[in-house]
Amino acid sequence: MKVLLLGSGGREHAFAWKFVQSEKLEKLYVAPGNAGTATIAENVAINPNDFEKIKEFVLEKGITMLVVGPEDPLVNGIHDFFLADEALNSIPVIGPEKLGAQLEGSKDFSKEFMFRHNIPTAKYKSITSENLQEGLTFLESLKAPYVLKADGLAAGKGVLIISDLKEAKHSLKEMINGMFGDASSTVVIEEFLAGIELSVFVLTDGKNYKTLAEAKDYKRIGEGDTGLNTGGMGAISPVPFATADFMKKVEDRVIVPTIDGLQKDNIPYKGFIFIGLMNIGGDPYVIEYNVRMGDPETEVIIPRIKSDLLELMEAVSKQELDTVHFEMDDRTVTTVMLVAGGYPEAYQKGKVITKLEEVEGSIVFHAGTTFSGKDVVTNGGRVISVSSYGDSMQSALDKSFKNAALINFEGKYYRKDIGFDLK
Ligand code: ATP
């Protein structure tokens, strides 16, 4: 197979790391990739949203599969673009079409989907300038804190959780008036769910599915889950509190109705579903769907997949996922993210990263890195994800922390308490 993978984060390095272990792989290109993917595949300087350039490249190189890492190209319709083009429509794309991608691209769409298929989730109301009064009344009917979400994609920043009713009403108006541009012209108001969060990852061909595993990520910049939100500071899989009983409920109440719902609604779907869940007293409630793998969760899930991921993806493309053997590693994998000083606010790029070659006992997944001459340098807020296997969560964490301390660049920061709440 000649594979083109879109994206440039730790998620894509983890995919690439797994793909190059497959006997099915003939050649792997990553667009645009990072310094990590450059060492195991060929990076190409194409923006994942530049569909015409992607087409040109795919035809020139005879690509036989497109794997889409981030959500943007999916929500923008890259899969539909391939299907609509005679020269491209026989090339399988891993990632849903635009309609399925609405599960992430529109919170209103995804809440309607969940209610239509009786999938447990928070009560909600979708509000625009047309029915603002209804929104204000709905807020009054809820208990604090109040959850306000921009309907569209807002780079993970479009959710406000507000403790004061007056302030919530004010923010609702501000959002509708363009606080997040067009993304918040519709606002989803939700009941607040109090519980502990985790995510479950599923690969589906739209009919059959494989539940890969669950993971827990750490979103805040500060230890003890404090401070600003980030793209993710670390992750752990499996999650100790996700017992067999809980995972059975997730399968019966969430995964099966989701796959059945896609079929009933005639939503074709070939790709990953990331289900964000709240565990409330042992019962799962869906917070959100994402239509791709998470980052840094991919850096703990992919190392646990024992099966050939390209074989699984090939089966997805043929809608034969039920025929493929699939196995996960029982061991725990943890990851600790090294970030640039100042992140998630202003930070510098171009800092030389050292000691990478001295790492032992962990897998180094590059995120925001690039080459400057022979040096690997920082090129983003989240820089490197240090993933490790362990027979216990603690033994995996010990390795991740040891190597996180070793790898160095000016301004390096990482959380030293990943997993603190699971011990
Ligand atoms: P992400 O960056 O996770 O993709 P997003 O912008 O898509 O974020 P959500 O995942 O829907 O938005 O919400 C972001 C976070 O806000 C959740 O991870 C969760 O911690 C919190 N949250 C969202 N909805 C609720 C809710 N109903 N009750 C409690 N907390 C919530």
Side-chain angles (χ1 to χ4, degrees):
M1 292 164 81
K2 290 187 184 168
V3 178
L4 173 61
L5 168 65
L6 301 183
S8 62
R11 169 181 53 210
E12 285 73 25
H13 191 188
F15 271 126
W17 173 85
K18 183 70 182 162
F19 290 164
V20 299
Q21 296 173 40
S22 170
E23 284 182 2
K24 288 183 173 286
L25 186 75
E26 195 180 318
K27 176 83 188 173
L28 175 62
Y29 299 95
V30 190
N34 57 36
T37 60
T39 59
I40 53 173
E42 188 173 328
N43 284 355
V44 277
I46 298 177
N47 179 327
N49 286 304
D50 191 342
F51 297 176
E52 288 298 337
K53 278 255 167 62
I54 291 170
K55 173 179 172 180
E56 219 175 277
F57 184 82
V58 162
L59 296 178
E60 182 195 322
K61 299 292 184 188
I63 297 297
T64 57
M65 178 178 278
L66 179 75
V67 180
V68 185
E71 63 277 19
D72 282 16
L74 296 168
V75 173
N76 293 339
I78 183 113
H79 197 149
D80 312 64
F81 176 85
F82 268 58
L83 289 174
D85 191 306
E86 260 181 41
L88 299 176
N89 65 14
S90 62
I91 301 167
V93 176
I94 302 300
E97 291 160 49
K98 208 169 182 169
L99 181 60
Q102 286 298 95
L103 283 178
E104 175 164 3
S106 166
K107 298 204 185 287
D108 176 51
F109 179 94
S110 86
K111 294 295 281 191
E112 272 194 24
F113 178 89
M114 290 181 235
F115 270 82
R116 193 161 55 245
H117 301 295
N118 290 317
I119 295 165
T121 187
K123 265 197 315 198
Y124 81 107
K125 225 176 230 321
S126 289
I127 303 298
T128 64
S129 55
E130 310 273 296
N131 64 346
L132 176 62
Q133 193 50 50
E134 236 181 274
L136 299 172
T137 313
F138 185 59
L139 279 172
E140 283 168 12
S141 76
L142 297 174
K143 283 200 214 98
Y146 306 94
V147 182
L148 303 179
K149 300 186 175 182
D151 174 57
L153 290 184
K157 296 192 167 66
V159 175
L160 302 182
I161 298 183
I162 300 171
S163 49
D164 179 68
L165 177 62
K166 222 169 120 191
E167 200 189 315
K169 287 179 170 178
H170 178 71
S171 295
L172 173 63
K173 291 179 201 156
E174 297 266 292
M175 284 176 85
I176 288 170
N177 288 332
M179 189 195 283
F180 300 103
D182 278 352
S184 65
S185 57
T186 298
V187 174
V188 171
I189 305 177
E190 275 184 28
E191 164 194 33
F192 181 81
L193 300 175
I196 177 155
E197 260 183 283
L198 76 162
S199 308
V200 173
F201 296 85
V202 175
L203 178 63
T204 183
D205 59 16
K207 195 170 82 185
N208 311 289
Y209 68 89
K210 305 279 187 204
T211 303
L212 303 178
E214 79 285 359
K216 184 171 192 309
D217 81 331
Y218 292 82
K219 279 209 170 61
R220 303 294 190 96
I221 189 74
E223 291 180 4
D225 284 337
T226 55
L228 294 173
N229 258 325
T230 71
M233 297 296 292
I236 290 175
S237 177
V239 179
F241 66 78
T243 59
D245 180 48
F246 177 76
M247 291 304 286
K248 175 87 172 69
K249 288 180 187 167
V250 172
E251 175 150 25
D252 294 347
R253 299 179 191 175
V254 178
I255 300 174
V256 169
T258 297
I259 306 298
D260 285 352
L262 290 171
Q263 286 187 284
K264 282 185 193 143
D265 291 350
N266 285 317
I267 302 175
Y269 201 109
K270 290 182 175 176
F272 294 96
I273 311 181
F274 162 150
I275 307 173
L277 293 171
M278 197 68 92
N279 174 341
I280 306 181
D283 290 318
Y285 288 80
V286 178
I287 299 243
E288 64 164 344
Y289 291 112
N290 291 317
V291 298
R292 34 86 196 172
M293 289 296 286
D295 194 345
E297 293 93 333
T298 308
E299 292 95 297
V300 294
I301 300 278
I302 293 265
R304 292 190 57 214
I305 300 177
K306 280 186 161 173
S307 318
D308 182 333
L309 187 54
L310 284 180
E311 189 185 348
L312 286 163
M313 287 181 169
E314 206 166 47
V316 164
S317 73
K318 294 183 185 149
Q319 215 169 46
E320 290 174 356
L321 195 52
D322 53 331
T323 64
V324 189
H325 174 72
F326 166 72
E327 217 182 321
M328 291 296 285
D329 196 316
D330 287 337
R331 287 177 293 173
T332 294
V333 179
T334 60
T335 202
V336 172
M337 187 68 77
L338 309 184
V339 306
Y343 173 82
E345 296 184 284
Y347 58 83
Q348 293 184 335
K349 295 182 183 177
K351 305 294 182 194
V352 176
I353 304 168
T354 57
K355 308 263 172 120
L356 287 168
E357 64 294 344
E358 291 178 30
V359 169
E360 271 175 34
S362 295
I363 313 164
V364 172
F365 291 125
H366 289 232
T369 69
T370 189
F371 277 106
S372 169
K374 284 216 165 81
D375 290 331
V376 177
V377 299
T378 67
N379 192 39
R382 293 192 302 158
V383 177
I384 277 178
S385 189
V386 185
S387 295
S388 316
Y389 293 95
D391 291 327
S392 67
M393 185 176 83
Q394 193 56 52
S395 70
L397 281 169
D398 288 345
K399 293 177 209 163
S400 286
F401 286 133
K402 185 185 102 207
N403 288 311
L406 174 74
I407 299 166
N408 208 15
F409 55 87
E410 193 188 316
K412 174 188 79 171
Y413 169 78
Y414 62 97
R415 271 181 63 173
K416 298 180 181 66
D417 71 337
I418 301 302
F420 76 98
D421 53 344
L422 302 177
K423 288 177 186 170

